[in-house]
Amino acid sequence: MLTFNQIKEKITREERLSEEDALYLYEYDDLAAIGELADQVNRKKNGNLVYYNINRHINPTNICALSCKFCAYSRKPGEPGSYEYSVDEILTKVQEAVNENATEIHMVGGLHPRWGLQHFLNILSSVKSRFPQIHIKGFTAVELDWLARRSRLTIKEVLIRLKEAGLDSLPGGGAEIFHQNIRDKITAKLSADEWIDIHRTAHNLEMFSNCTMLYGHVESYYHRVDHMRYLRELQDETKRFNAFIPLSFQPHNNDMGISKYTFGSDDLRTIAIARLYLDNFQHIKAYWIMLGKDIAQLALNYGANDLDGTVIEEKISNMAGSQAGMSMSRSQIEDLILRTGHDACERDTLYRPKGKTHQCPAPNAECVMPLDQLLKQVEKPLKNKKKLSIEEAETLAKCSALYQIQHLANKLTIEKCSKRKSYSSRIWLSSQCLESPEALLSEIQSKFEMLPAQGPKIINIDLARIKKQVSDRSVFDCMTISIITEMAGIIKREKADTKISLLGLKEIWATAQRTKISLEEAFSLLSHAKIDCIESSLFESESALTNNEVANIHRKAHQAGLKTVGKAEISMARDNQEILWQSFISRILTLNELAEETGMLSAISIEPSLHSYTSMAEYLKAVAMARVLANSNDNIIAPILSLPTISYKKISSVSSNPTNLKVSALPLLYGANDLGQLSVEDKNIALINAEMEPLGLELLSRNCNFEY
């Protein structure tokens, strides 16, 4: 078996990977390195372009004669939830799509026991007679096999009639996993050879088609590679597959007995390996409907070059638990693409460009230089432990591909941190604790039992969060440092072994100003009250504070013997929605200097600004930049409650949407070693821990003093 470097050399020489090579990559632990290879191969094939199309899915019926275990879409005739569209209803939906400038109709559905070939010929001819410009991509191999058997015609005869009526190309559905052992467990559909023969027949009739692979259920890596082998062989023969589309399994409302989504890292690995193994495919699609928008966006850095399209009303995966939504606008899709540094190109079904390509804005003129020269320029001071200037760091952030900054961050993370990654499980006090000492004690007692038996016991007093909860602001405005210290005294008296983390650095500063005491006095009181750590709150922004003001607040806390956690926020320019890298970088460098000076800065937390939208790709680049720049601080926090996809509105616990959790562990691949704070009431800690599994990482609880 070849090593990774030998596989890399094969790819460089443009030699074909074997099945053993692909299996090795599935087991190889450096996902970043695999993604880098896939991105390089994709750029050789497609440059900086990422495609999308304006399309509409129309699922004519969910009434189906089959009963596949993984399917949540199908219904029997008369069963609640069953439906069947008339030809007029389908025409209405096509008209709506045409009104939105759609170029494609994607039409697949159930195997209706009363609908024969003529019914579909009527649908096709009706659509084409009214909308001759629309491309109809319709009918999976399973549907075609069903129509052939019902009409007692050959597949070729059925395809010829459908093509004459208006069918232009085939989708890739129904492939699932080709290995018969797996097909026997999940589907009653046709065999792998039958699926391949149907697409071969279509190709021989000069029709194009897509191909898919449904993964993340009961198959192994071997079965995935075996599946792709079938597709690569047919593509060698016919060269008529438009795109390969890996479909992540949606676990709800089926008979498979599977309750979890695929891991985000597994999704990205599968996309990357598909790009490397399927060397005769031009296009690899990140189907956002099933991956979720964030993983699909990140997949553009792992070898994918297509996001699919606007979709509109996709029912099949939605009924199986997909929570990515049923449609996206043109502007939303373009925004996802452009924010990864790629150019967004609208296409038709056959990948012919439509209209003007939207190019990613070029970096400032001083950043334009060969990337290899740029990275050498940056790596040299890193190796010599020299600090980067703001100008060098801004050049790195603006000009480098995501995987290139990830590569630098990973080097430093391996050097500084073990594979054990952290989070903290805590009690969060509510505004009710302000009502009286009795109310405070009652809340502590009711929640304290939820803390794990092992590990640190931590109580959060989050001033900004409490401020948002109080209905009468005058109650909060009367809150003083002395009230906080009184609360801390009660907690320490009742729970001596409990650590207290006071959240809201900016609010402490504001409270001191409001009550006309100095910061030195405020922090001295908090220190005597045995507050263990001062942290920034997820519910407040510090972007309005200058670097000097932030450094001064932290410094005075350190002088009082209090450890603190710094915060660096990623903000967007209002006029062009570009990341304000200079302000982010200068805040990181300020906190890094503070860590060198006092030795009391426990960590730096990387968070999106409360007032601007940041995509996951941009957020991960910021995390990696923080690791590269903060060489005096070992701990970089990517708070789960602040990840763009999970908590855009900064909710107080992790979303109950498990698809959001696909991204929870990914910051650990980009330089973070801590996932922040979770409530003991949150039910998703186990799911977050599970996301570590394919990364070979272990999640552990840490205390608020960051003693790892």
Side-chain angles (χ1 to χ4, degrees):
M1 183 177 291
L2 299 182
T3 64
F4 179 77
N5 285 336
Q6 289 171 322
I7 291 173
K8 185 175 180 179
E9 289 171 6
K10 283 182 73 171
I11 292 169
T12 302
R13 295 192 301 266
E14 297 186 359
E15 293 180 16
R16 172 161 281 188
L17 297 189
S18 67
E19 289 76 65
E20 291 75 18
D21 296 336
L23 281 171
Y24 179 88
L25 293 177
Y26 262 116
E27 300 289 351
Y28 189 62
D29 60 1
D30 192 345
L31 177 59
I34 299 170
E36 179 178 350
L37 275 180
D39 188 68
Q40 291 170 349
V41 169
N42 178 49
R43 287 179 182 276
K44 282 184 180 180
K45 287 179 178 285
N46 297 296
N48 203 44
L49 285 182
V50 170
Y51 293 96
Y52 72 95
N53 68 339
I54 309 300
N55 64 343
R56 171 149 194 169
H57 283 221
I58 298 177
N59 307 122
T61 182
N62 65 347
I63 296 173
C64 188
L66 294 184
S67 298
C68 298
K69 289 184 178 180
F70 67 85
C71 183
Y73 172 70
S74 68
R75 299 289 187 272
K76 298 305 176 188
E79 186 179 350
S82 64
Y83 73 89
E84 51 187 82
Y85 291 147
S86 68
V87 174
D88 285 342
E89 286 175 313
I90 290 172
L91 289 172
T92 298
K93 292 178 182 296
V94 177
Q95 180 67 67
E96 292 169 354
V98 169
N99 292 345
E100 296 296 325
N101 298 313
T103 59
E104 172 191 289
I105 294 298
H106 180 114
M107 190 180 300
V108 300
L111 310 183
H112 198 301
R114 295 192 302 275
W115 286 6
L117 177 59
Q118 189 58 50
H119 181 76
F120 290 101
L121 295 175
N122 291 340
I123 291 175
L124 292 170
S125 59
S126 297
V127 172
K128 277 293 186 179
S129 63
R130 188 178 299 185
F131 309 103
Q133 77 280 19
I134 205 79
H135 182 107
I136 302 177
K137 181 177 69 180
F139 314 126
T140 65
V142 179
E143 292 171 90
L144 295 171
D145 176 71
W146 171 259
L147 291 175
R149 286 188 286 113
R150 279 183 55 81
S151 59
R152 298 183 181 180
L153 298 172
T154 65
I155 291 293
K156 183 176 181 179
E157 290 169 332
V158 167
L159 280 169
I160 288 172
R161 294 192 184 188
L162 291 171
K163 185 179 179 183
E164 289 173 346
L167 181 64
D168 295 298
S169 66
L170 304 187
E176 322 314 354
I177 288 289
F178 285 146
H179 199 284
Q180 197 58 47
N181 289 350
I182 303 301
R183 295 186 83 77
D184 289 342
K185 294 177 182 178
I186 68 173
T187 181
K189 294 176 181 177
L190 64 171
S191 69
D193 288 338
E194 289 169 326
W195 191 98
I196 290 291
D197 284 341
I198 290 170
H199 280 259
R200 178 185 287 114
T201 302
H203 295 176
N204 290 338
L205 291 172
E206 298 186 345
M207 299 178 74
F208 285 93
S209 69
N210 288 337
C211 53
T212 62
M213 176 179 73
L214 183 68
Y215 67 94
H217 39 88
V218 297
E219 89 291 352
S220 67
Y221 293 149
Y222 165 79
H223 296 123
R224 296 187 198 179
V225 175
D226 178 69
H227 184 97
M228 288 190 279
R229 176 183 59 81
Y230 274 90
L231 300 174
R232 190 169 74 173
E233 289 174 355
L234 184 57
Q235 183 73 331
D236 278 342
E237 177 187 337
T238 67
K239 299 179 176 57
R240 287 242 161 204
F241 279 130
N242 273 326
F244 173 64
I245 313 165
L247 302 174
S248 60
F249 181 70
Q250 309 296 303
H252 295 303
N253 306 320
N254 60 71
D255 298 325
M256 292 285 289
I258 298 172
S259 59
K260 67 178 180 66
Y261 290 86
T262 53
F263 298 118
S265 56
D266 190 22
D267 297 325
L268 296 175
R269 185 183 296 270
T270 297
I271 291 276
I273 292 172
R275 172 57 74 191
L276 298 173
Y277 180 78
L278 296 174
D279 54 2
N280 51 4
F281 277 72
Q282 185 79 13
H283 307 294
I284 305 292
K285 184 181 293 186
Y287 187 43
W288 66 265
I289 284 283
M290 297 179 84
L291 290 173
K293 297 181 183 72
D294 295 292
I295 294 296
Q297 185 197 44
L298 292 173
L300 303 182
N301 294 289
Y302 284 78
N305 71 304
D306 186 19
L307 275 182
D308 199 82
T310 49
V311 177
I312 307 172
E313 201 185 17
E314 195 278 346
K315 293 177 177 287
I316 296 174
S317 57
N318 183 267
M319 293 173 71
S322 171
Q323 296 168 357
M326 295 176 74
S327 67
M328 268 205 292
S329 68
R330 180 202 300 264
S331 61
Q332 287 174 319
I333 294 175
E334 289 179 349
D335 187 56
L336 279 180
I337 295 169
L338 295 173
R339 284 172 180 264
T340 65
H342 290 86
D343 301 330
C345 180
E346 185 188 344
R347 61 166 175 86
D348 66 10
T349 307
L350 302 182
Y351 287 86
R352 294 172 299 206
K354 300 282 292 183
K356 182 181 177 182
T357 295
H358 291 262
Q359 293 186 327
C360 178
N364 293 337
E366 65 267 24
C367 297
V368 179
M369 66 177 73
L371 281 177
D372 55 349
Q373 179 184 338
L374 171 66
L375 292 170
K376 285 178 184 177
Q377 178 180 315
V378 172
E379 277 200 277
K380 188 174 180 180
L382 285 179
K383 290 177 181 177
N384 297 330
K385 305 296 183 183
K386 293 180 181 177
K387 297 176 184 177
L388 297 181
S389 67
I390 290 181
E391 293 75 22
E392 288 171 323
E394 190 175 9
T395 297
L396 177 64
K398 287 184 174 181
C399 297
S400 294
L402 181 59
Y403 74 79
Q404 290 167 319
I405 299 182
Q406 179 186 21
H407 183 67
L408 295 174
N410 272 340
K411 279 186 177 180
L412 291 168
T413 307
I414 292 169
E415 180 183 313
K416 290 174 174 287
C417 312
S418 72
K419 286 193 172 184
R420 304 179 76 198
K421 307 301 178 181
S422 305
Y423 77 103
S424 61
S425 182
R426 306 171 176 222
I427 289 173
W428 296 66
L429 297 182
S430 71
S431 59
Q432 294 175 345
C433 68
L434 297 178
E435 295 175 1
S436 65
E438 292 75 22
L440 172 63
L441 284 173
S442 175
E443 184 161 3
I444 293 171
Q445 294 292 355
S446 65
K447 292 184 176 180
F448 201 82
E449 296 174 0
M450 299 179 185
L451 284 167
Q454 303 298 322
K457 308 292 188 292
I458 305 173
I459 290 180
N460 276 353
I461 304 176
D462 189 335
L463 301 181
R465 183 171 183 261
I466 290 172
K467 183 177 182 178
K468 287 176 70 73
Q469 290 179 339
V470 294
S471 55
D472 185 356
R473 279 292 299 275
S474 63
V475 173
F476 184 85
D477 289 341
C478 292
M479 188 176 189
T480 63
I481 298 296
S482 60
I483 293 174
I484 298 171
T485 58
E486 183 181 347
M487 291 170 63
I490 294 172
I491 293 169
K492 288 289 186 178
R493 188 165 59 249
E494 293 295 320
K495 306 289 182 183
D497 61 343
T498 298
K499 291 184 177 291
I500 302 174
S501 185
L502 185 59
L503 280 68
L505 200 72
K506 183 180 175 184
E507 198 57 52
I508 294 170
W509 174 71
T511 301
Q513 286 189 323
R514 189 169 61 242
T515 53
K516 298 182 180 179
I517 65 172
S518 67
L519 268 178
E520 291 88 346
E521 184 181 356
F523 284 125
S524 177
L525 289 169
L526 294 172
S527 180
H528 282 105
K530 294 184 170 52
I531 297 290
D532 294 280
C533 189
I534 307 291
E535 304 184 44
S536 297
S537 171
L538 300 177
F539 296 87
E540 67 180 6
S541 173
E542 296 176 6
S543 59
L545 298 176
T546 67
N547 289 332
N548 286 337
E549 287 172 329
V550 167
N552 186 52
I553 296 170
H554 281 278
R555 188 177 290 111
K556 292 187 184 304
H558 298 169
Q559 290 167 353
L562 290 164
K563 289 187 176 182
T564 63
V565 175
K567 176 194 282 194
E569 295 173 76
I570 310 122
S571 302
M572 313 291 293
R574 290 185 179 180
D575 54 346
N576 59 12
Q577 290 298 293
E578 288 185 7
I579 293 285
L580 297 173
W581 284 113
Q582 191 172 93
S583 61
F584 173 77
I585 289 165
S586 63
R587 183 60 56 92
I588 292 286
L589 294 177
T590 296
L591 293 170
N592 192 54
E593 290 173 4
L594 185 70
E596 287 181 348
E597 175 191 334
T598 68
M600 297 286 281
L601 191 76
S602 296
I604 299 176
S605 181
I606 311 304
E607 301 172 28
S609 169
L610 286 169
H611 308 298
S612 61
Y613 167 71
T614 306
S615 74
M616 273 304 299
E618 291 164 330
Y619 178 77
L620 291 176
K621 180 176 272 194
V623 171
M625 285 296 303
R627 173 59 73 192
V628 170
L629 296 173
N631 53 18
S632 297
N633 200 300
D634 290 349
N635 301 317
I636 302 296
I637 303 175
I640 287 176
L641 296 181
S642 242
L643 294 182
T645 186
I646 289 176
S647 186
Y648 178 58
K649 293 185 178 178
K650 303 298 180 291
I651 54 177
S652 60
S653 65
V654 174
S655 164
S656 59
N657 181 351
T659 56
N660 287 344
L661 298 177
K662 280 174 173 281
V663 301
S664 61
L666 292 181
L668 302 177
L669 296 178
Y670 290 81
N673 65 309
D674 193 307
L675 296 178
Q677 310 164 34
L678 292 173
S679 166
V680 292
E681 300 166 80
D682 195 277
K683 303 293 189 268
N684 287 316
I685 293 176
L687 291 173
I688 295 163
N689 203 356
E691 282 287 333
M692 305 286 192
E693 183 182 309
L695 301 177
L697 302 174
E698 178 187 356
L699 188 67
L700 72 153
S701 179
R702 49 89 174 161
N703 65 35
C704 61
N705 284 324
F706 293 81
E707 296 167 357
Y708 289 91

